[in-house]
Amino acid sequence: MNFIPKNKISNIFLLVGSFAVVSLILWNTNSFFKQFKEEERLKMEIWATAQSEFLQSSETVDLGSLHLKVFQNNTSTPMILINKDESIRVNNFPPNKAQDSVFIQSQLKKFKSENTPISIDQQGEHLATLYYGNSDVLTKLKYYPIALLLIIFLFAAVIYFLFKTNKASEQNKLWAGMAKETAHQIGTPLSSLLGWNELLKTEDINPSITKEIEKDIDRLQTITERFSKIGSLPKLVESDIVKETQDAFDYLKRRSSKLIHFSFNSKVDYLPVMLNSSLYNWTIENLVKNGIDAMRGKGSIAIEIVPDNKFVNILIADTGHGISKSNYNSIFTPGFTSKKRGWGLGLSLVKRIVEEYHDGKIKVLSSGKEGTIMQISLKVAH
C-alpha cells in the first residue's frame, strides 16, 4: 500500500528532475569551458612557435604571410612575453595599461595562476617565456554557471511566489465561502427566533425576558451580517471612531468576568473616520477577547485613542503573558494559533478588515511579561 500522497510524489519527481537538468547544464558548461581552454592553449602554442621562428629568422629571410596572420589574428588573449634579456613585450592590453609596470607585474602573477607559461625554445636555446591570460569570452564563460544558477534561482522564486499567491487566493475564497455559508445557515433559525419572540410577547410573561431575547437576536443578526460581508467589498461610512470603539468595548465589558478591569481613554471626544461599523466592532471584539484569553480571565484591558496628524491610533493593551517577538508577524497568518483550541483565523480576519477594507495598519506595538499592546492605525476623514 502506498502511503505517500500523489502530489507529494510528483513534487519529489519535479525536484529530482530539476536537479538533474541543472546538473547536466553545469556539467556541459564545465566540459565546454575545458575544451575552449584547451583550444586557447593550442592557439597560444601556435603563436609561440611562430614567435620562435620570427626571433631566429634574419632580416633577409622571408617568412611569408603565415606568421603575420598568426600574429594579427590573436587579438583577444592578453599576453606578456619576457625575452631572454628580461625585456617585456605585451599584447592585447589597453593602451593606458600597457605602459604601467605595476599593472603588468600584477597581471603576470595572475597569468601564472591561470595558465602554465609556454617556454619558447629553438634548438635547445631558450629565447623567451610566454605568459597569457584568459580571453574575454573564456572569462565570461567561467562565470556563466553562476549566472545560470542565479537565473534558475530567480525563476524558482517567481514560481514559488506565484504558487504561494495562488494558494493564498484559494484559501481566501474558501474562508469567504465558509463565512457566507455560515451566515446563510444562521439566517434560517434566526428568522424562526424572531417569530417565536413575537409570539412570547403576546403571552403573559415578564417583558424583560423578551427584551433580553431581542438583544441576543440583534446580536445574532450582527454576527450574520459580519460573516456575509467576508469576501466582498464592504461599504464605508463616515463614523465617529471614539463612539464606535467605546460601544464595542462597553458591550464586551458588560458580558465579561468581574475579575477583568476595563478602562477606556480617548484624547479627543469626536474624530471622523471612514468605517464599516459592523466589521470594525468585530475587530475590536476580537482583539479584546484575545487579550482576555491571554490573561486567562483575570487582569486589565485598556483601550486608548490617540490622534496622530492625519491618522488615529487605537491602542488595545492587556496584562497577559505576551507574544514572542519572532511571532509578531506570524500571529496574523491564517491557521496560526497558540491556543489548544482554535482555528487561528481571528487575527488574520482582523488584519484583512483593517488593512484591505479600511486601508489601515495593524501591528504588535510591544509585548512582554507585563502584557501586550496592539495598535490599529486608520486615516482620519477630511
Side-chain angles (χ1 to χ4, degrees), residues 72-99:
Q72 289 179 342
N73 288 339
N74 192 354
T75 58
S76 60
T77 306
M79 297 179 291
I80 299 175
L81 184 71
I82 301 181
N83 296 310
K84 62 180 180 180
D85 59 357
E86 298 301 322
S87 61
I88 297 176
R89 179 181 147 199
V90 298
N91 275 352
N92 303 326
F93 278 93
N96 60 325
K97 297 291 185 181
Q99 304 300 323

PDB file of all heavy atoms in Angstrom, residues 72-99:
ATOM      1  N   GLN A  72      48.522  38.600 -36.251  1.00  0.00           N
ATOM      2  CA  GLN A  72      47.410  39.548 -36.404  1.00  0.00           C
ATOM      3  C   GLN A  72      46.076  39.007 -35.915  1.00  0.00           C
ATOM      4  O   GLN A  72      45.232  39.759 -35.432  1.00  0.00           O
ATOM      5  CB  GLN A  72      47.294  39.965 -37.878  1.00  0.00           C
ATOM      6  CG  GLN A  72      48.425  40.865 -38.363  1.00  0.00           C
ATOM      7  CD  GLN A  72      48.278  41.228 -39.822  1.00  0.00           C
ATOM      8  OE1 GLN A  72      47.551  40.577 -40.567  1.00  0.00           O
ATOM      9  NE2 GLN A  72      49.002  42.268 -40.249  1.00  0.00           N
ATOM     10  N   ASN A  73      45.861  37.707 -36.053  1.00  0.00           N
ATOM     11  CA  ASN A  73      44.560  37.121 -35.700  1.00  0.00           C
ATOM     12  C   ASN A  73      44.358  36.965 -34.199  1.00  0.00           C
ATOM     13  O   ASN A  73      43.222  36.799 -33.737  1.00  0.00           O
ATOM     14  CB  ASN A  73      44.392  35.756 -36.372  1.00  0.00           C
ATOM     15  CG  ASN A  73      44.175  35.879 -37.868  1.00  0.00           C
ATOM     16  OD1 ASN A  73      43.778  36.940 -38.344  1.00  0.00           O
ATOM     17  ND2 ASN A  73      44.443  34.814 -38.608  1.00  0.00           N
ATOM     18  N   ASN A  74      45.426  37.000 -33.446  1.00  0.00           N
ATOM     19  CA  ASN A  74      45.287  36.839 -31.996  1.00  0.00           C
ATOM     20  C   ASN A  74      45.090  38.211 -31.349  1.00  0.00           C
ATOM     21  O   ASN A  74      46.050  38.877 -30.965  1.00  0.00           O
ATOM     22  CB  ASN A  74      46.526  36.140 -31.429  1.00  0.00           C
ATOM     23  CG  ASN A  74      46.288  35.682 -29.992  1.00  0.00           C
ATOM     24  OD1 ASN A  74      45.262  35.980 -29.413  1.00  0.00           O
ATOM     25  ND2 ASN A  74      47.246  34.970 -29.443  1.00  0.00           N
ATOM     26  N   THR A  75      43.855  38.624 -31.251  1.00  0.00           N
ATOM     27  CA  THR A  75      43.540  39.951 -30.714  1.00  0.00           C
ATOM     28  C   THR A  75      42.716  39.902 -29.435  1.00  0.00           C
ATOM     29  O   THR A  75      42.338  40.949 -28.905  1.00  0.00           O
ATOM     30  CB  THR A  75      42.758  40.762 -31.767  1.00  0.00           C
ATOM     31  OG1 THR A  75      41.563  40.045 -32.111  1.00  0.00           O
ATOM     32  CG2 THR A  75      43.593  40.987 -33.015  1.00  0.00           C
ATOM     33  N   SER A  76      42.411  38.707 -28.936  1.00  0.00           N
ATOM     34  CA  SER A  76      41.529  38.596 -27.776  1.00  0.00           C
ATOM     35  C   SER A  76      42.226  38.111 -26.511  1.00  0.00           C
ATOM     36  O   SER A  76      41.763  38.394 -25.410  1.00  0.00           O
ATOM     37  CB  SER A  76      40.366  37.633 -28.093  1.00  0.00           C
ATOM     38  OG  SER A  76      40.863  36.344 -28.418  1.00  0.00           O
ATOM     39  N   THR A  77      43.339  37.386 -26.657  1.00  0.00           N
ATOM     40  CA  THR A  77      44.016  36.820 -25.489  1.00  0.00           C
ATOM     41  C   THR A  77      45.129  37.750 -25.026  1.00  0.00           C
ATOM     42  O   THR A  77      46.062  38.034 -25.780  1.00  0.00           O
ATOM     43  CB  THR A  77      44.622  35.437 -25.824  1.00  0.00           C
ATOM     44  OG1 THR A  77      43.610  34.604 -26.362  1.00  0.00           O
ATOM     45  CG2 THR A  77      45.206  34.796 -24.586  1.00  0.00           C
ATOM     46  N   PRO A  78      45.068  38.230 -23.786  1.00  0.00           N
ATOM     47  CA  PRO A  78      46.139  39.101 -23.279  1.00  0.00           C
ATOM     48  C   PRO A  78      47.423  38.288 -23.057  1.00  0.00           C
ATOM     49  O   PRO A  78      47.386  37.189 -22.501  1.00  0.00           O
ATOM     50  CB  PRO A  78      45.566  39.626 -21.957  1.00  0.00           C
ATOM     51  CG  PRO A  78      44.561  38.607 -21.541  1.00  0.00           C
ATOM     52  CD  PRO A  78      43.997  38.030 -22.788  1.00  0.00           C
ATOM     53  N   MET A  79      48.555  38.827 -23.474  1.00  0.00           N
ATOM     54  CA  MET A  79      49.830  38.103 -23.403  1.00  0.00           C
ATOM     55  C   MET A  79      50.932  38.996 -22.877  1.00  0.00           C
ATOM     56  O   MET A  79      50.937  40.209 -23.112  1.00  0.00           O
ATOM     57  CB  MET A  79      50.231  37.596 -24.793  1.00  0.00           C
ATOM     58  CG  MET A  79      49.282  36.593 -25.402  1.00  0.00           C
ATOM     59  SD  MET A  79      49.835  36.089 -27.048  1.00  0.00           S
ATOM     60  CE  MET A  79      49.574  37.601 -27.976  1.00  0.00           C
ATOM     61  N   ILE A  80      51.874  38.365 -22.165  1.00  0.00           N
ATOM     62  CA  ILE A  80      53.096  39.036 -21.719  1.00  0.00           C
ATOM     63  C   ILE A  80      54.265  38.147 -22.139  1.00  0.00           C
ATOM     64  O   ILE A  80      54.360  36.992 -21.720  1.00  0.00           O
ATOM     65  CB  ILE A  80      53.113  39.244 -20.192  1.00  0.00           C
ATOM     66  CG1 ILE A  80      51.936  40.118 -19.758  1.00  0.00           C
ATOM     67  CG2 ILE A  80      54.438  39.876 -19.757  1.00  0.00           C
ATOM     68  CD1 ILE A  80      51.812  40.274 -18.254  1.00  0.00           C
ATOM     69  N   LEU A  81      55.150  38.688 -22.969  1.00  0.00           N
ATOM     70  CA  LEU A  81      56.305  37.934 -23.464  1.00  0.00           C
ATOM     71  C   LEU A  81      57.565  38.489 -22.794  1.00  0.00           C
ATOM     72  O   LEU A  81      57.882  39.677 -22.923  1.00  0.00           O
ATOM     73  CB  LEU A  81      56.406  38.070 -24.989  1.00  0.00           C
ATOM     74  CG  LEU A  81      57.522  37.256 -25.660  1.00  0.00           C
ATOM     75  CD1 LEU A  81      57.188  35.761 -25.616  1.00  0.00           C
ATOM     76  CD2 LEU A  81      57.712  37.702 -27.109  1.00  0.00           C
ATOM     77  N   ILE A  82      58.258  37.615 -22.083  1.00  0.00           N
ATOM     78  CA  ILE A  82      59.517  38.015 -21.426  1.00  0.00           C
ATOM     79  C   ILE A  82      60.672  37.366 -22.193  1.00  0.00           C
ATOM     80  O   ILE A  82      60.811  36.130 -22.204  1.00  0.00           O
ATOM     81  CB  ILE A  82      59.532  37.589 -19.953  1.00  0.00           C
ATOM     82  CG1 ILE A  82      58.350  38.240 -19.197  1.00  0.00           C
ATOM     83  CG2 ILE A  82      60.857  37.969 -19.298  1.00  0.00           C
ATOM     84  CD1 ILE A  82      58.286  37.912 -17.741  1.00  0.00           C
ATOM     85  N   ASN A  83      61.458  38.179 -22.851  1.00  0.00           N
ATOM     86  CA  ASN A  83      62.590  37.687 -23.629  1.00  0.00           C
ATOM     87  C   ASN A  83      63.733  37.265 -22.710  1.00  0.00           C
ATOM     88  O   ASN A  83      63.741  37.561 -21.504  1.00  0.00           O
ATOM     89  CB  ASN A  83      63.055  38.760 -24.608  1.00  0.00           C
ATOM     90  CG  ASN A  83      61.974  39.078 -25.633  1.00  0.00           C
ATOM     91  OD1 ASN A  83      61.421  38.168 -26.246  1.00  0.00           O
ATOM     92  ND2 ASN A  83      61.657  40.361 -25.804  1.00  0.00           N
ATOM     93  N   LYS A  84      64.729  36.580 -23.316  1.00  0.00           N
ATOM     94  CA  LYS A  84      65.850  36.077 -22.520  1.00  0.00           C
ATOM     95  C   LYS A  84      66.679  37.205 -21.926  1.00  0.00           C
ATOM     96  O   LYS A  84      67.381  37.024 -20.920  1.00  0.00           O
ATOM     97  CB  LYS A  84      66.722  35.142 -23.357  1.00  0.00           C
ATOM     98  CG  LYS A  84      67.374  35.807 -24.565  1.00  0.00           C
ATOM     99  CD  LYS A  84      68.209  34.796 -25.333  1.00  0.00           C
ATOM    100  CE  LYS A  84      68.876  35.451 -26.561  1.00  0.00           C
ATOM    101  NZ  LYS A  84      69.697  34.455 -27.308  1.00  0.00           N
ATOM    102  N   ASP A  85      66.573  38.405 -22.511  1.00  0.00           N
ATOM    103  CA  ASP A  85      67.304  39.554 -21.951  1.00  0.00           C
ATOM    104  C   ASP A  85      66.456  40.309 -20.917  1.00  0.00           C
ATOM    105  O   ASP A  85      66.767  41.445 -20.557  1.00  0.00           O
ATOM    106  CB  ASP A  85      67.734  40.501 -23.069  1.00  0.00           C
ATOM    107  CG  ASP A  85      66.542  41.029 -23.868  1.00  0.00           C
ATOM    108  OD1 ASP A  85      65.388  40.615 -23.578  1.00  0.00           O
ATOM    109  OD2 ASP A  85      66.756  41.855 -24.780  1.00  0.00           O
ATOM    110  N   GLU A  86      65.314  39.674 -20.482  1.00  0.00           N
ATOM    111  CA  GLU A  86      64.405  40.212 -19.456  1.00  0.00           C
ATOM    112  C   GLU A  86      63.570  41.396 -19.956  1.00  0.00           C
ATOM    113  O   GLU A  86      62.859  42.023 -19.158  1.00  0.00           O
ATOM    114  CB  GLU A  86      65.174  40.650 -18.189  1.00  0.00           C
ATOM    115  CG  GLU A  86      65.914  39.529 -17.485  1.00  0.00           C
ATOM    116  CD  GLU A  86      64.991  38.394 -17.032  1.00  0.00           C
ATOM    117  OE1 GLU A  86      63.867  38.694 -16.602  1.00  0.00           O
ATOM    118  OE2 GLU A  86      65.394  37.224 -17.115  1.00  0.00           O
ATOM    119  N   SER A  87      63.657  41.705 -21.225  1.00  0.00           N
ATOM    120  CA  SER A  87      62.779  42.750 -21.761  1.00  0.00           C
ATOM    121  C   SER A  87      61.354  42.198 -21.859  1.00  0.00           C
ATOM    122  O   SER A  87      61.144  41.002 -22.065  1.00  0.00           O
ATOM    123  CB  SER A  87      63.273  43.215 -23.129  1.00  0.00           C
ATOM    124  OG  SER A  87      63.265  42.136 -24.054  1.00  0.00           O
ATOM    125  N   ILE A  88      60.390  43.086 -21.718  1.00  0.00           N
ATOM    126  CA  ILE A  88      58.978  42.680 -21.668  1.00  0.00           C
ATOM    127  C   ILE A  88      58.220  43.275 -22.843  1.00  0.00           C
ATOM    128  O   ILE A  88      58.380  44.460 -23.169  1.00  0.00           O
ATOM    129  CB  ILE A  88      58.316  43.120 -20.345  1.00  0.00           C
ATOM    130  CG1 ILE A  88      58.990  42.427 -19.156  1.00  0.00           C
ATOM    131  CG2 ILE A  88      56.824  42.798 -20.351  1.00  0.00           C
ATOM    132  CD1 ILE A  88      58.459  42.869 -17.809  1.00  0.00           C
ATOM    133  N   ARG A  89      57.387  42.443 -23.447  1.00  0.00           N
ATOM    134  CA  ARG A  89      56.523  42.889 -24.529  1.00  0.00           C
ATOM    135  C   ARG A  89      55.105  42.410 -24.228  1.00  0.00           C
ATOM    136  O   ARG A  89      54.904  41.264 -23.808  1.00  0.00           O
ATOM    137  CB  ARG A  89      57.013  42.302 -25.845  1.00  0.00           C
ATOM    138  CG  ARG A  89      56.166  42.675 -27.046  1.00  0.00           C
ATOM    139  CD  ARG A  89      56.714  42.030 -28.280  1.00  0.00           C
ATOM    140  NE  ARG A  89      55.654  41.698 -29.215  1.00  0.00           N
ATOM    141  CZ  ARG A  89      55.778  40.825 -30.187  1.00  0.00           C
ATOM    142  NH1 ARG A  89      56.908  40.152 -30.328  1.00  0.00           N
ATOM    143  NH2 ARG A  89      54.781  40.589 -31.009  1.00  0.00           N
ATOM    144  N   VAL A  90      54.132  43.279 -24.394  1.00  0.00           N
ATOM    145  CA  VAL A  90      52.741  42.918 -24.072  1.00  0.00           C
ATOM    146  C   VAL A  90      51.878  43.041 -25.315  1.00  0.00           C
ATOM    147  O   VAL A  90      52.148  43.870 -26.202  1.00  0.00           O
ATOM    148  CB  VAL A  90      52.178  43.808 -22.939  1.00  0.00           C
ATOM    149  CG1 VAL A  90      52.969  43.619 -21.655  1.00  0.00           C
ATOM    150  CG2 VAL A  90      52.143  45.279 -23.345  1.00  0.00           C
ATOM    151  N   ASN A  91      50.856  42.197 -25.365  1.00  0.00           N
ATOM    152  CA  ASN A  91      49.879  42.232 -26.462  1.00  0.00           C
ATOM    153  C   ASN A  91      48.459  42.216 -25.896  1.00  0.00           C
ATOM    154  O   ASN A  91      48.194  41.582 -24.875  1.00  0.00           O
ATOM    155  CB  ASN A  91      50.045  41.011 -27.378  1.00  0.00           C
ATOM    156  CG  ASN A  91      51.108  41.235 -28.433  1.00  0.00           C
ATOM    157  OD1 ASN A  91      51.620  42.335 -28.591  1.00  0.00           O
ATOM    158  ND2 ASN A  91      51.468  40.175 -29.143  1.00  0.00           N
ATOM    159  N   ASN A  92      47.563  42.906 -26.601  1.00  0.00           N
ATOM    160  CA  ASN A  92      46.130  42.893 -26.282  1.00  0.00           C
ATOM    161  C   ASN A  92      45.826  43.460 -24.892  1.00  0.00           C
ATOM    162  O   ASN A  92      44.993  42.939 -24.157  1.00  0.00           O
ATOM    163  CB  ASN A  92      45.554  41.478 -26.406  1.00  0.00           C
ATOM    164  CG  ASN A  92      45.768  40.888 -27.785  1.00  0.00           C
ATOM    165  OD1 ASN A  92      45.747  41.603 -28.786  1.00  0.00           O
ATOM    166  ND2 ASN A  92      46.006  39.577 -27.842  1.00  0.00           N
ATOM    167  N   PHE A  93      46.515  44.531 -24.555  1.00  0.00           N
ATOM    168  CA  PHE A  93      46.233  45.277 -23.333  1.00  0.00           C
ATOM    169  C   PHE A  93      45.736  46.664 -23.720  1.00  0.00           C
ATOM    170  O   PHE A  93      46.129  47.200 -24.767  1.00  0.00           O
ATOM    171  CB  PHE A  93      47.495  45.425 -22.471  1.00  0.00           C
ATOM    172  CG  PHE A  93      47.799  44.228 -21.617  1.00  0.00           C
ATOM    173  CD1 PHE A  93      48.646  43.223 -22.078  1.00  0.00           C
ATOM    174  CD2 PHE A  93      47.241  44.095 -20.351  1.00  0.00           C
ATOM    175  CE1 PHE A  93      48.931  42.128 -21.301  1.00  0.00           C
ATOM    176  CE2 PHE A  93      47.530  42.996 -19.565  1.00  0.00           C
ATOM    177  CZ  PHE A  93      48.368  41.999 -20.039  1.00  0.00           C
ATOM    178  N   PRO A  94      44.903  47.298 -22.890  1.00  0.00           N
ATOM    179  CA  PRO A  94      44.506  48.681 -23.166  1.00  0.00           C
ATOM    180  C   PRO A  94      45.742  49.577 -23.221  1.00  0.00           C
ATOM    181  O   PRO A  94      46.687  49.376 -22.437  1.00  0.00           O
ATOM    182  CB  PRO A  94      43.623  49.055 -21.965  1.00  0.00           C
ATOM    183  CG  PRO A  94      43.139  47.744 -21.429  1.00  0.00           C
ATOM    184  CD  PRO A  94      44.245  46.762 -21.683  1.00  0.00           C
ATOM    185  N   PRO A  95      45.764  50.549 -24.127  1.00  0.00           N
ATOM    186  CA  PRO A  95      46.948  51.412 -24.288  1.00  0.00           C
ATOM    187  C   PRO A  95      47.394  52.072 -22.987  1.00  0.00           C
ATOM    188  O   PRO A  95      48.587  52.214 -22.728  1.00  0.00           O
ATOM    189  CB  PRO A  95      46.483  52.460 -25.307  1.00  0.00           C
ATOM    190  CG  PRO A  95      45.393  51.774 -26.077  1.00  0.00           C
ATOM    191  CD  PRO A  95      44.696  50.887 -25.096  1.00  0.00           C
ATOM    192  N   ASN A  96      46.439  52.486 -22.150  1.00  0.00           N
ATOM    193  CA  ASN A  96      46.803  53.168 -20.905  1.00  0.00           C
ATOM    194  C   ASN A  96      47.383  52.223 -19.861  1.00  0.00           C
ATOM    195  O   ASN A  96      48.006  52.661 -18.892  1.00  0.00           O
ATOM    196  CB  ASN A  96      45.585  53.895 -20.325  1.00  0.00           C
ATOM    197  CG  ASN A  96      44.451  52.941 -20.007  1.00  0.00           C
ATOM    198  OD1 ASN A  96      44.239  51.963 -20.708  1.00  0.00           O
ATOM    199  ND2 ASN A  96      43.708  53.236 -18.953  1.00  0.00           N
ATOM    200  N   LYS A  97      47.186  50.904 -20.045  1.00  0.00           N
ATOM    201  CA  LYS A  97      47.705  49.927 -19.095  1.00  0.00           C
ATOM    202  C   LYS A  97      49.009  49.286 -19.566  1.00  0.00           C
ATOM    203  O   LYS A  97      49.772  48.750 -18.751  1.00  0.00           O
ATOM    204  CB  LYS A  97      46.668  48.823 -18.864  1.00  0.00           C
ATOM    205  CG  LYS A  97      45.366  49.285 -18.230  1.00  0.00           C
ATOM    206  CD  LYS A  97      45.589  49.691 -16.783  1.00  0.00           C
ATOM    207  CE  LYS A  97      44.264  50.041 -16.107  1.00  0.00           C
ATOM    208  NZ  LYS A  97      44.473  50.472 -14.703  1.00  0.00           N
ATOM    209  N   ALA A  98      49.254  49.313 -20.869  1.00  0.00           N
ATOM    210  CA  ALA A  98      50.427  48.632 -21.435  1.00  0.00           C
ATOM    211  C   ALA A  98      51.733  49.211 -20.917  1.00  0.00           C
ATOM    212  O   ALA A  98      52.753  48.507 -20.851  1.00  0.00           O
ATOM    213  CB  ALA A  98      50.381  48.702 -22.958  1.00  0.00           C
ATOM    214  N   GLN A  99      51.738  50.497 -20.522  1.00  0.00           N
ATOM    215  CA  GLN A  99      52.952  51.136 -20.038  1.00  0.00           C
ATOM    216  C   GLN A  99      53.035  51.176 -18.510  1.00  0.00           C
ATOM    217  O   GLN A  99      54.002  51.691 -17.957  1.00  0.00           O
ATOM    218  CB  GLN A  99      53.012  52.576 -20.586  1.00  0.00           C
ATOM    219  CG  GLN A  99      52.931  52.692 -22.093  1.00  0.00           C
ATOM    220  CD  GLN A  99      54.058  51.953 -22.791  1.00  0.00           C
ATOM    221  OE1 GLN A  99      55.202  51.934 -22.308  1.00  0.00           O
ATOM    222  NE2 GLN A  99      53.755  51.346 -23.939  1.00  0.00           N
TER     223      GLN A  99
END
